[in-house]
Structure formats: structure tokens, C-alpha cells
Amino acid sequence: MTAASTIKTWYWIHKWTSLVCTIFLLIICLTGLPLVFHHEIEHWLDDGKPLSAVPADTPRANLDKLVDHAKSMYPGEVIDYLFFDPDEPQVFVGMAKKPGDGQVSGHAVRMDGRTGDVLLDGPLYTEDKFSFMGIMLALHVDLFAGLPGELFLGFMGLLFCVAIVSGVVLYGPFMKKLEFGTVRATRSTRLKWLDLHNLLGIVTLVWAFVVGFTGVINELSTPLFRLWQSTELVRILEPYKNQTVPTELASAQVAADTAKKALPGNEVSFIAFPGNAFGSPHHYIAWMRGDTPLTSKLNTPVLVDGKTGELTTVAKMPWYLTALEVSRPLHFGDYAGLPLKIIWALLDLITIVVLVSGLYLWVARRRATEARINELVKKHQAAAATQRSPA
């Protein structure tokens, strides 16, 4: 294969992978902007009560106190989970009409984790999906299409990665006669945008590939967790497979304390109660996170017997779930606070310019080609007319 044919092949790959994924990548980039600042936006839109003004060293309330308070508010419902906010001392007590029904009838009561005061009686899960941030997240993750939408957007992300690689291959041959960063502003509009497209694309190369690749991994979260649930978790729960959700549960605080003893130096980030749709019918599953910038993003599940509160096992996370958990904060720039988020947002905006300019270049090229064809047709028709005219 000659160098010219190789370049032609890579150009074809770059053009069509870019064209196929561009519209969906624009949706992802536009919805990704508010999601980068989701903590700040949710805080700004929050209509709940502020945290109680208590001394900074006030200890956390007993979890059973929070659970009992939530039950008193909704006596006909069950506790589905406890989520511990990593940034503020507040706890979300998830509730549902019945065990395993969280994704249909679920809602959360947000409480001050020190005083037990109710800060917000949250909406139902189905209602929350249509809040501003809920809409942004759904469009970004699955286009409101569930698992098929996740897999489709994952495939679009994969095409984006291929477009980036092919763009890098083409950058050298197309720009070898120009100095790096050259934008021929005095030439035609199309050439100016071609140079700008190439420049912005190569400058944001590493970031775009990292975000695109981690986005593909994130879109696989549902099948990856289902794989873990159907293999490792099934093996762990084999002795309990015929048991139903216990009617009398051990103390939630005891379950949390058991998990902390099993993994010293770790904090509880989430507790799935027995019967949770993504947990075990017989166990509390306490997800534990570390205390360093990296390990705080990694969660280890600890299974605690739902009847006795005794330790069942510390489950070892498979490599693919570890990769998933590392990729999530990296995808949204959630490792170094607000400064990194601002950088992520700026790079996101640049990527939007790259995508839009790519569409413009394709349209402009088609128009230029059509104009040349029309001109040739006119010349041919004029020549034919001259030949037919009498001498």
C-alpha cells in the first residue's frame, strides 16, 4: 500500500467516524458542562434546610436514630439504603414502597448526620429524573433509553476515540509544510477553520482521548456491575439463595461498625439494606472508601449478615470495577476541586468548537465539490452547444 493510499484510508476513517458520532458527542459535551459542576449547581438549586449550626467536632448521630426517624415519616415503607455525603455531614435515607422497588417508588429523606434533623424530604426517583440535573444526567448517560442508550453512547464514544487516533495520523502529513500553531487567517474561511480545527484538536488530544475513553468505560457500568452480581456476588450469596428478606433486621449502626472493623481506616460511603435491588436479600452491603485522594474514589463492599449484624465477608473488587471507579472522577475532573473542574469545562468548550468546526468543514467541502461539479457541467454543456451550433 502506497503512502498516498494509506493517507486516503485514514482520511476516510477519520471523516466517517467523526461524522457518525459528532451530533451525539455534541449532546454529551453540552450536557457534560453542568455535570462537571454538579456539586455546585445542586448546592445552588438546593431548597432544603441548611445544616445545623453545631460545633465542628460534634459526633455523628447513631444511624438507627436516622432510620427510625425516616420510618416514622413513612411507616408503610422500607429503608432501601443510606448514602453518606462525602463533602458534608449529611445522610440520605433512601426509602421504597417495598424491598427491591427503589427504582420505581424510591425517594430519599436528607438528614443532618449529626443532629438527625430533616433537611429535605426528597422527591420520588421517577420525579427526580425530570429535574434540571436529572435531565442533564439522563441525556449524558443514556438519552432516556436505559441500557440500550448507554451502550449506544458507549459506541459513539468508541468512534470518537477512533476519530482522535485517525486525526493524529493525518496531522503530520497535512501540516508538515506549516509551522505548529499556524492559522492561515488571510486565506479562505474554509482553510482558516481547517487550521483552527487541526490546532485545537492536537492541543486537546490527550484530554479528549482520556475523557472519551473513560466515558466508554462509564457507559459499561450497568453490564459490568451485573457481571459482578451474577458471578462473584452469586458465589458469596450461594448459602443464602433460598432465604427471603428478614422481617427483623439487625441494627444499621451495628452493621456500619462491623464494616469499619473489617476495614480499619475506611469510611462508610453507602449501605444497601437487605432487599435492595442491587444488593443482597439477606445482607447489608456496606461500601467502604479510603481516606486518600485516590482511595476515596475506590469502594470495597463488605457484606454484613442482615439478621445478626456479623461480618460475612469482605468482597474483593474485580479489576474491571476498579477501573470503572477510577474512571468516573477522571471523566468529570473530580479529583482536585474547583480549579480542575474549570479546566475541564474550558477543554469541554474547546472540544465543542472542534466538533462544530469539523461539521462545518464537511459541509463546506461538499459545497465546494458541488460547485466544481456544477462548473464543469456548465462548461461541458457550453462546449456541446458550441459544437452543435451551425458554422
Side-chain angles (χ1 to χ4, degrees):
M1 183 179 289
T2 65
S5 61
T6 300
I7 292 174
K8 187 176 181 180
T9 300
W10 278 110
Y11 175 78
W12 184 91
I13 293 172
H14 182 70
K15 180 177 75 171
W16 288 109
T17 54
S18 301
L19 286 174
V20 170
C21 72
T22 291
I23 297 299
F24 302 101
L25 260 295
L26 279 173
I27 294 173
I28 290 173
C29 287
L30 290 170
T31 55
L33 277 174
L35 290 175
V36 167
F37 301 102
H38 71 98
H39 288 299
E40 292 77 9
I41 293 175
E42 286 170 354
H43 183 75
W44 175 52
L45 296 175
D46 188 5
D47 56 358
K49 291 171 54 180
L51 290 164
S52 304
V54 296
D57 58 351
T58 302
R60 293 297 185 105
N62 188 291
L63 296 181
D64 295 324
K65 174 184 176 182
L66 307 185
V67 167
D68 291 341
H69 192 170
K71 283 182 176 179
S72 68
M73 296 174 63
Y74 296 93
E77 299 187 1
V78 298
I79 305 297
D80 195 40
Y81 65 83
L82 297 176
F83 171 74
F84 301 82
D85 191 323
D87 301 312
E88 298 185 82
Q90 54 187 8
V91 180
F92 293 76
V93 183
M95 308 194 72
K97 297 291 185 183
K98 58 183 179 180
D101 199 45
Q103 288 192 293
V104 178
S105 63
H107 61 105
V109 180
R110 176 157 40 110
M111 298 183 179
D112 190 312
R114 303 157 302 174
T115 65
D117 293 340
V118 175
L119 305 177
L120 181 67
D121 189 2
L124 291 174
Y125 174 80
T126 50
E127 296 172 351
D128 192 51
K129 287 178 66 175
F130 294 98
S131 64
F132 171 73
M133 293 306 294
I135 292 172
M136 292 297 101
L137 182 61
L139 288 173
H140 192 83
V141 172
D142 62 13
L143 299 174
F144 286 98
L147 180 58
E150 292 178 19
L151 297 178
F152 176 78
L153 288 182
F155 180 62
M156 293 299 105
L158 189 61
L159 289 181
F160 179 56
C161 292
V162 174
I164 292 172
V165 172
S166 58
V168 172
V169 174
L170 293 171
Y171 183 80
F174 273 85
M175 300 296 291
K176 63 183 179 182
K177 295 182 180 180
L178 298 173
E179 293 184 3
F180 178 79
T182 299
V183 177
R184 291 168 286 184
T186 58
R187 301 287 296 275
S188 67
T189 302
R190 180 177 171 275
L191 272 178
K192 179 176 66 177
W193 276 105
L194 176 62
D195 291 342
L196 191 61
H197 177 84
N198 291 335
L199 174 62
L200 295 178
I202 206 69
V203 167
T204 59
L205 166 68
V206 174
W207 178 87
F209 188 83
V210 168
V211 171
F213 185 69
T214 54
V216 173
I217 296 175
N218 286 334
E219 293 292 5
L220 296 175
S221 61
T222 299
L224 289 179
F225 268 105
R226 286 180 180 175
L227 175 62
W228 177 71
Q229 288 177 306
S230 63
T231 54
E232 179 67 14
L233 191 58
V234 166
R235 183 188 62 79
I236 295 172
L237 300 179
E238 180 67 24
Y240 309 91
K241 67 178 182 179
N242 294 322
Q243 298 189 23
T244 58
V245 178
T247 54
E248 295 293 330
L249 295 178
S251 160
Q253 185 63 54
V254 168
D257 292 341
T258 300
K260 288 181 180 180
K261 290 178 182 178
L263 289 176
N266 283 249
E267 292 294 327
V268 182
S269 61
F270 185 90
I271 298 178
F273 273 56
N276 181 284
F278 300 100
S280 162
H282 187 79
H283 297 83
Y284 289 101
I285 299 183
W287 292 84
M288 311 295 290
R289 58 182 174 86
D291 57 0
T292 67
L294 177 60
T295 59
S296 65
K297 310 299 182 183
L298 301 175
N299 286 273
T300 302
V302 177
L303 275 71
V304 177
D305 191 289
K307 286 184 176 180
T308 66
E310 297 178 352
L311 177 67
T312 297
T313 187
V314 176
K316 183 179 180 181
M317 293 294 284
W319 65 268
Y320 51 84
L321 288 186
T322 300
L324 173 64
E325 292 190 323
V326 171
S327 71
R328 279 177 170 169
L330 187 59
H331 184 71
F332 290 107
D334 202 14
Y335 269 116
L338 187 59
L340 186 61
K341 290 183 178 183
I342 294 174
I343 293 173
W344 244 239
L346 292 174
L347 290 169
D348 191 347
L349 289 170
I350 293 173
T351 302
I352 291 173
V353 174
V354 173
L355 293 170
V356 173
S357 62
L359 273 179
Y360 163 75
L361 290 170
W362 178 70
V363 172
R365 186 181 180 88
R366 282 178 58 88
R367 287 178 176 174
T369 301
E370 289 174 359
R372 287 196 297 268
I373 292 173
N374 290 335
E375 185 178 352
L376 289 173
V377 169
K378 288 179 181 179
K379 287 181 178 179
H380 177 75
Q381 290 173 342
T386 301
Q387 290 176 358
R388 290 194 302 267
S389 63

